[in-house]
Amino acid sequence: MERIFACRVDELEPGSTMTVDGPVPVALYRTEDGDWFASDDSCTHEQFSLGTESDLEDDEVVCPLHMARFDLRTGKALCFPATIALRMHEVVVEGEEVHVVLSETVADGPGVEAAEGSAADCAVA
């Protein structure tokens, strides 16, 4: 597994996201609580940057293109139109530096099940 430098801690405010260039583009997330997460940069529903364009809501990332939601802890797709989980990566904070350890596998499970959710469930409050 490859490890890449993402940013300095003070370069990403809580509640913000950014895209990190590397062998594969990575979306880096810092929640309002100060937790760090990373995933592949593209929404699994449609090629759209999550690091550049997404919204954070607690421990979920929302793709504004079609309102797909993903759990930042697992990568699981939480509602339609996304049905495939995000590939998540480990984030390591050492002193003032943030690094991402690139994963080779996709999160457990395919995402939402056919009986779960609907487009209405994904509406932003």
Side-chain angles (χ1 to χ4, degrees):
M1 289 187 257
E2 185 172 353
R3 178 175 157 150
I4 59 173
F5 173 77
C7 67
R8 295 187 50 77
V9 170
D10 61 1
E11 292 177 329
L12 191 62
E13 295 293 323
S16 301
T17 66
M18 68 183 293
T19 298
V20 178
D21 292 326
V24 294
V26 171
L28 182 65
Y29 315 98
R30 188 174 185 189
T31 66
E32 289 289 343
D33 293 336
D35 295 328
W36 295 86
F37 298 96
S39 72
D40 283 357
D41 187 47
S42 291
C43 176
T44 61
H45 167 247
E46 200 162 308
Q47 298 298 309
F48 197 77
S49 173
L50 296 175
T52 304
E53 304 291 334
S54 66
D55 298 310
L56 292 180
E57 295 182 9
D58 298 318
D59 290 339
E60 297 178 5
V61 60
V62 180
C63 177
L65 187 61
H66 294 114
M67 307 315 287
R69 289 179 173 274
F70 300 91
D71 185 314
L72 287 174
R73 298 198 182 280
T74 64
K76 182 178 180 179
L78 298 175
C79 66
F80 297 112
T83 59
I84 300 170
L86 290 171
R87 181 171 59 168
M88 301 302 292
H89 306 285
E90 179 184 358
V91 177
V92 178
V93 179
E94 292 179 342
E96 293 300 311
E97 293 186 349
V98 181
H99 298 265
V100 175
V101 180
L102 299 177
S103 174
E104 296 176 6
T105 59
V106 175
D108 291 337
V112 297
E113 297 178 21
E116 264 185 71
S118 70
D121 293 337
C122 295
V124 174

